[in-house]
Amino acid sequence: HSLRIFQSRKVELLKNNLKQKILNNETLTNNDIDDSVWKTKEVREALLVSQERKCCFCEKKRDRKRELDGEHFRPKLGLQEEPLHKGYWWLAYEWSNIFYACKKCNQEYKKTQFPIDGDRAYNESDILENEKPVLIHPENENPEEFIGFDWQESYSKFVKATGLDRSEEHTSELQS
């Protein structure tokens, strides 16, 4: 699925501006990103419909008139866990990298984190498939294949989420 705005002349210019700044070894800032692209009614509506009005992380249903953050799966500028990484600036205006997330998940939990196993992509010529994101891709992966739940009575107030593809050290407790 692609939307006209992501193929527009405006977006091509925005992408070229980012690329030119990178080639000039300039530091990208939020001022270099035009977030109006994913805040258009067309994009917001497409995100809501494609994600069945659910946050891509917590899956809570949201009302159309409530918060709606266009969240970049791969952060567009900088990475919390790798301060020298310039971010996935070349994906800033790619429909495949933008999802709907509620404000709490986007601003309190995900932020600019993007932990991976394997090789990290640093520029647009690197192969993204070589990265093994620790985060579940909301569109390409089924969370049921990665997360199990321990419903034992000892957790009467809590459910223990268990990573099915990870060791026990990656388990966490979620309030039920």
Side-chain angles (χ1 to χ4, degrees), residues 1-127:
H1 188 277
S2 63
L3 297 168
R4 288 185 310 262
I5 192 162
F6 292 103
Q7 299 165 347
S8 69
R9 178 80 176 128
K10 173 184 177 178
V11 166
E12 285 305 313
L13 289 172
L14 291 167
K15 287 179 180 181
N16 288 337
N17 288 341
L18 292 176
K19 187 174 188 168
Q20 193 57 51
K21 285 189 172 218
I22 291 294
L23 291 173
N24 291 337
N25 209 24
E26 296 177 43
T27 301
L28 297 176
T29 68
N30 284 327
N31 292 332
D32 296 314
I33 302 289
D34 183 353
D35 64 357
S36 71
V37 171
W38 50 89
K39 288 185 176 182
T40 64
K41 184 177 179 180
E42 175 189 27
V43 172
R44 292 167 69 111
E45 188 62 28
L47 287 173
L48 281 170
V49 169
S50 69
Q51 292 178 224
E52 299 177 12
R53 292 182 29 228
K54 294 179 187 178
C55 169
C56 68
F57 298 114
C58 70
E59 293 195 341
K60 286 184 184 175
K61 281 223 180 212
R62 294 299 194 203
D63 186 298
R64 277 185 163 77
K65 299 192 187 321
R66 290 196 63 192
E67 79 233 283
L68 175 64
D69 280 3
E71 168 58 20
H72 288 74
F73 183 65
R74 286 178 167 85
K76 57 194 175 300
L77 299 176
L79 296 175
Q80 189 171 322
E81 63 273 7
E82 197 171 329
L84 296 179
H85 194 282
K86 295 180 181 187
Y88 298 85
W89 54 270
W90 66 97
L91 300 175
Y93 302 103
E94 293 296 327
W95 170 251
S96 62
N97 193 46
I98 300 173
F99 295 95
Y100 161 63
C102 68
K103 285 198 186 301
K104 187 169 189 125
C105 285
N106 188 15
Q107 296 175 6
E108 291 182 35
Y109 299 122
K110 167 74 168 55
K111 301 179 188 175
T112 61
Q113 297 182 75
F114 193 69
I116 64 160
D117 289 331
D119 297 328
R120 184 173 301 280
Y122 286 87
N123 59 59
E124 61 187 326
S125 64
D126 290 341
I127 301 168

